[in-house]
Amino acid sequence: MLSLAMMKYLRADGKTTMFVSSTELVALFWRSYKYKDAQDRKEKILDAMESVDVLVIDDLGTEGGVNSDKPVQKDVQQAINQIATARYDTNSNKVLKSTIVTTNNTPDELSLIYGGKTVSRLLPHNPYYQFDFSELNDIRE
């Protein structure tokens, strides 16, 4: 909810925003192997993920399995790395475009799934830009 509220505020301020479910993204990759229209849709989504002002990647890490103990398929891993790199200026070591990541995983778990370099570019290093809700009770029944 917080990321959606932030997106609404940023859109009102003229920013382009995009919300992507990581599990839906992986499902789209699987469909793209079989269907041409899914391949075209995947390419458009990946391009938008690189260029949008503010990208929200929801539930990153769930695609790494129940225990988040295995890497995702190689092409998904490469795509997320390419997106993270496109949104980050490696020459001056600064963020070009904002990325909001929601996850139930620790940075170490995400590093097992996506690799340390990718996670380093996706997640903020400054604790001021991190929200930890691990102590909250789940209100879903």
Side-chain angles (χ1 to χ4, degrees):
M1 286 299 284
L2 182 58
S3 61
L4 292 174
M6 290 167 42
M7 286 176 64
K8 182 178 178 181
Y9 175 83
L10 291 164
R11 276 191 187 165
D13 196 38
K15 302 289 184 196
T16 57
T17 64
M18 182 177 189
F19 184 95
V20 176
S21 161
S22 63
T23 53
E24 285 299 314
L25 183 63
V26 170
L28 181 59
F29 267 82
W30 283 107
R31 287 191 300 274
S32 74
Y33 303 141
K34 190 172 183 180
Y35 304 107
K36 175 69 174 132
D37 62 327
Q39 173 67 31
D40 294 341
R41 185 165 184 252
K42 179 188 80 172
E43 293 305 320
K44 287 178 185 174
I45 288 172
L46 294 177
D47 288 345
M49 289 175 75
E50 288 184 13
S51 63
V52 71
D53 293 327
V54 180
L55 172 65
V56 175
I57 304 176
D58 186 49
D59 225 1
L60 187 69
T62 56
E63 59 284 0
V66 175
N67 298 320
S68 301
D69 56 358
K70 62 181 179 189
V72 294
Q73 62 202 55
K74 199 66 161 168
D75 54 351
V76 174
Q77 194 175 53
Q78 290 171 338
I80 294 294
N81 182 55
Q82 182 175 331
I83 290 161
T85 301
R87 301 182 66 75
Y88 192 84
D89 183 351
T90 55
N91 293 326
S92 64
N93 198 28
K94 72 177 204 175
V95 173
L96 295 173
K97 299 174 188 296
S98 297
T99 306
I100 299 168
V101 175
T102 68
T103 185
N104 289 323
N105 299 91
T106 66
D108 288 340
E109 290 169 335
L110 289 174
S111 291
L112 287 174
I113 299 166
Y114 282 103
K117 183 169 42 171
T118 300
V119 172
S120 178
R121 291 181 183 159
L122 282 176
L123 299 182
H125 296 232
N126 186 337
Y128 180 75
Y129 298 114
Q130 300 172 14
F131 298 100
D132 183 358
F133 295 110
S134 62
E135 299 297 320
L136 293 179
N137 292 327
D138 193 339
I139 61 170
R140 297 172 286 193
E141 293 185 37

